[in-house]
Amino acid sequence: MKRGLILEGGAMRGMFTCGVIDVLLENGIEFDGAVGVSAGAAFGCNYKSRQIGRALRYNTNYCRDPRYCGFRSLIKTGNLFGAEFCYKTIPEELDPFDFETFEDNPMEFYVVATELQSGKAVYHKCEGDGKNYEWYRASASMPLVSTPVEIDGKLYLDGGIADSVPIKFFESIGYDRNVIILTQPEDYRKKKNKLIPLMRRSLKKYPKTVETMARRHTVYNDTLDYIKELEKSEKAIVIRPESALNIGRVEHDPERLKAVYDIGRKTALHRLDEIKKYFEE
């Protein structure tokens, strides 16, 4: 049996995920591996470094800092979320990431990014190569408001473009006992992206990625159907909010961030005995 944790993205809806994973950490729930997409990657790495509360702390501390996120950063750097501040200044200086614990923890940690030339998902296992934060940034770089991230000569954007909930990937590498954290309620269905014409112009050099974007709603909804079947047959535990989270992709109100985090905590605490039993069986 291999225990897996799958973390959907969703920008600041990811504060729900932060609340869930903090409860799991506090209660000693161990996984053999985790895979994160977009915010799921940027926040989920704290599970492997065992830093309870870190994602909540730096988001609430710096959400009003123009270096962290906002249109000033977008105009100045091409990135809505400031790359230098978010992926260097915070983890190295202001709220240090525990790189040593991350490396010592045997739990595998994967991130998903979309390679622009092929339009396909890349599943990168984060190890001690010094590039982990570049992969987190690539996974969370939303189209139209982020510059592509270059890693080893290839360009990447948000992993959610190609694989928003990588449950089938984890199953393919042997993870057969999985907890899936979603950031939308059960009745949610993704609609066709109205910005596809704009994306065709913005990413005209990468037509395969644009086509992947155009199909994203269909692929995503099919994945949700697959996850529901896993849930019905008790082959996975799915943790999701009961209703739509009252938060935008960009949020400058620390109280609202904390409120969504608290919903995640409450949801996880309600499901905690179920999760423990699932892994004991």
Side-chain angles (χ1 to χ4, degrees):
M1 179 180 73
K2 289 182 71 174
R3 303 178 177 187
L5 178 64
I6 294 94
L7 308 171
E8 184 184 18
M12 287 301 114
R13 294 198 311 272
M15 296 311 299
F16 173 85
T17 300
C18 294
V20 173
I21 63 178
D22 278 356
V23 168
L24 300 182
L25 279 168
E26 289 165 0
N27 286 275
I29 306 296
E30 298 283 349
F31 294 91
D32 298 297
V35 57
V37 182
S38 195
F43 300 157
C45 60
N46 295 288
Y47 208 101
K48 185 169 164 63
S49 66
R50 303 183 190 279
Q51 289 179 276
I52 298 169
R54 179 175 177 270
L56 171 68
R57 185 171 61 242
Y58 71 69
N59 274 287
T60 53
N61 284 347
Y62 301 110
C63 64
R64 289 176 172 163
D65 192 314
R67 296 172 296 173
Y68 182 64
C69 177
F71 288 104
R72 185 185 303 180
S73 174
L74 180 61
I75 293 170
K76 186 176 180 180
T77 71
N79 293 293
L80 187 63
F81 288 85
E84 180 74 14
F85 189 73
C86 293
Y87 297 100
K88 187 173 177 65
T89 304
I90 289 177
E92 293 183 4
E93 301 173 20
L94 299 178
D95 199 324
F97 184 75
D98 190 341
F99 293 96
E100 183 176 354
T101 297
F102 184 93
E103 292 298 331
D104 290 343
N105 187 344
M107 184 184 86
E108 296 179 332
F109 189 73
Y110 292 83
V111 302
V112 184
T114 301
E115 197 272 312
L116 287 186
Q117 200 67 46
S118 66
K120 294 182 178 180
V122 172
Y123 306 94
H124 177 77
K125 184 178 178 181
C126 294
E127 299 179 293
D129 59 4
K131 298 178 181 178
N132 288 350
Y133 263 81
E134 285 300 287
W135 281 103
Y136 304 154
R137 182 163 77 92
S139 183
S141 290
M142 297 180 289
L144 299 181
V145 293
S146 307
T147 57
V149 178
E150 182 176 350
I151 304 174
D152 297 332
K154 294 186 177 183
L155 295 175
Y156 300 90
L157 279 177
D158 197 315
I161 295 169
D163 194 352
S164 296
V165 192
I167 175 61
K168 291 186 178 180
F169 162 69
F170 243 32
E171 290 179 330
S172 75
I173 60 173
Y175 285 88
D176 54 358
R177 210 74 170 158
N178 296 302
V179 173
I180 304 168
I181 303 178
L182 303 179
T183 58
Q184 296 281 15
E186 187 172 3
D187 61 355
Y188 175 78
R189 304 294 287 183
K190 186 176 286 295
K191 298 179 181 179
K192 187 175 181 179
N193 194 328
K194 296 180 180 179
L195 297 178
I196 292 299
L198 181 59
M199 291 181 181
R200 289 191 190 279
R201 293 194 295 271
S202 176
L203 296 169
K204 61 183 178 181
K205 293 182 180 179
Y206 309 105
K208 291 184 179 180
T209 289
V210 175
E211 291 310 310
T212 299
M213 290 179 180
R215 297 191 303 269
R216 184 184 179 189
H217 65 293
T218 299
V219 174
Y220 182 86
N221 292 335
D222 287 346
T223 301
L224 290 183
D225 291 340
Y226 180 71
I227 288 171
K228 285 183 180 180
E229 290 302 314
L230 291 177
E231 191 175 20
K232 288 179 182 178
S233 59
E234 299 183 348
K235 293 181 179 179
I237 286 184
V238 184
I239 301 176
R240 55 169 77 84
E242 291 186 358
S243 57
L245 298 169
N246 183 27
I247 196 165
R249 287 187 172 274
V250 177
E251 182 55 66
H252 298 295
D253 184 349
E255 292 185 1
R256 184 167 291 179
L257 291 169
K258 179 63 163 53
V260 173
Y261 170 86
D262 286 341
I263 292 171
R265 287 192 61 90
K266 181 180 179 180
T267 304
L269 287 168
H270 180 70
R271 304 287 298 279
L272 190 59
D273 289 342
E274 180 186 354
I275 295 169
K276 290 179 177 178
K277 183 179 179 181
Y278 176 68
F279 285 139
E280 289 171 356
E281 291 176 345

